Each structure stands twice: as structure tokens, then as C-alpha cells.
Amino acid sequence: MHTLILGGDSFIGRHLAAYLEDTGHTAMRTSRRSDTSGVLHCDVTSEDSVRNALADSKPDVIFQLAGTSAYQDALTHYRVHSLAAANLLAASAELQEQPALLFAGSAAEYGEAPPEHLPLSESYPCKPTGAYGAAKYAQTLSV
């Protein structure tokens, strides 16, 4: 199986790639930094950049792990999470073979939850309280 990991230079992305390769799959990793050796450059906020990454990797499965940390401004959160989802959906729809897509969510999408509701289930209502959670929730709603 050929995989593409957007945000593949992240902690989770590096470990996912190692696991996939250890189990006999190929893992093409991307990063927004262009100076990372062995990693394909991809800016998920650019539809052309995402389209090029998909064309170069021809993936069967795409893992969307690219994101921001909780310490960014609201516009950056929106651009990276919401535009990444839109760009990935648009670029993958153009492919002759449709890859499976996996978008990583976040507990921040749920906001604050009273202790009696923990652990949360996926059916718990999303009420993000910050820009990061709202951007991740917007990404989830778009897919």
C-alpha cells in the first residue's frame, strides 16, 4: 500500500511512517519546510501544493496530520486546518483512483466537558472553546 502522510515531519507523522514501513507499506512524508531531507515539500494551505504532492506520491491512503499547535493565532488555525481539508478534498477528487482519507481530529473539538461525561464518546456534542478547537471542528465538518 502506498501512503501519503501530510504533516509527516511531525512527531506522530514520523512514528506512523516508521510503523507503515515496518509493516511492508510505503510512506511518503510531507512537510511545509522545504529543507527536510527525504520529505516532500507540501504547503497544505495551497491547493496546487497539495495537488502536486498527490501527483508525486500516487497514494492509496492519505493521512492528514498537518496542523498547528495551540499557540498560533486564530487565522493561522483556520487556514491550516480548514483550508487543508478543502484542498485535500478538491485535489483527491481529481484523481482517477480515489485514495482513502484519514483526518486526525482533536479533543479540543469537544471543548470543556464535565468530569461525569469522561471519557467522551464521539456522540458527545462538539462545543469548541478556542480557535484551535473551532478550526479542527470546521475541518471535521468539511469531511
Side-chain angles (χ1 to χ4, degrees), residues 45-71:
T45 65
S46 163
E47 190 174 339
D48 286 339
S49 185
V50 172
R51 186 179 292 114
N52 291 339
L54 271 60
D56 290 347
S57 62
K58 298 177 181 42
D60 300 308
V61 178
I62 301 169
F63 297 91
Q64 188 345 47
L65 305 179
T68 58
S69 69
Y71 307 105

Side-chain angles (χ1 to χ4, degrees), residues 16-106:
L16 175 60
Y19 171 78
L20 290 167
E21 290 169 351
D22 287 348
T23 56
H25 306 288
T26 61
M28 171 73 72
R29 297 183 301 133
T30 72
S31 174
R32 71 177 176 268
R33 293 183 288 275
S34 58
D35 61 346
T36 306
S37 177
V39 177
L40 184 65
H41 177 261
C42 180
D43 176 359
V44 295
T45 65
S46 163
E47 190 174 339
D48 286 339
S49 185
V50 172
R51 186 179 292 114
N52 291 339
L54 271 60
D56 290 347
S57 62
K58 298 177 181 42
D60 300 308
V61 178
I62 301 169
F63 297 91
Q64 188 345 47
L65 305 179
T68 58
S69 69
Y71 307 105
Q72 301 291 321
D73 62 276
L75 182 58
T76 299
H77 289 308
Y78 170 77
R79 286 186 66 241
V80 172
H81 296 288
S82 299
L83 288 180
N87 291 338
L88 181 53
L89 291 170
S92 64
E94 296 172 0
L95 298 174
Q96 191 167 10
E97 297 282 329
Q98 293 294 304
L101 304 174
L102 180 132
F103 288 82
S106 171

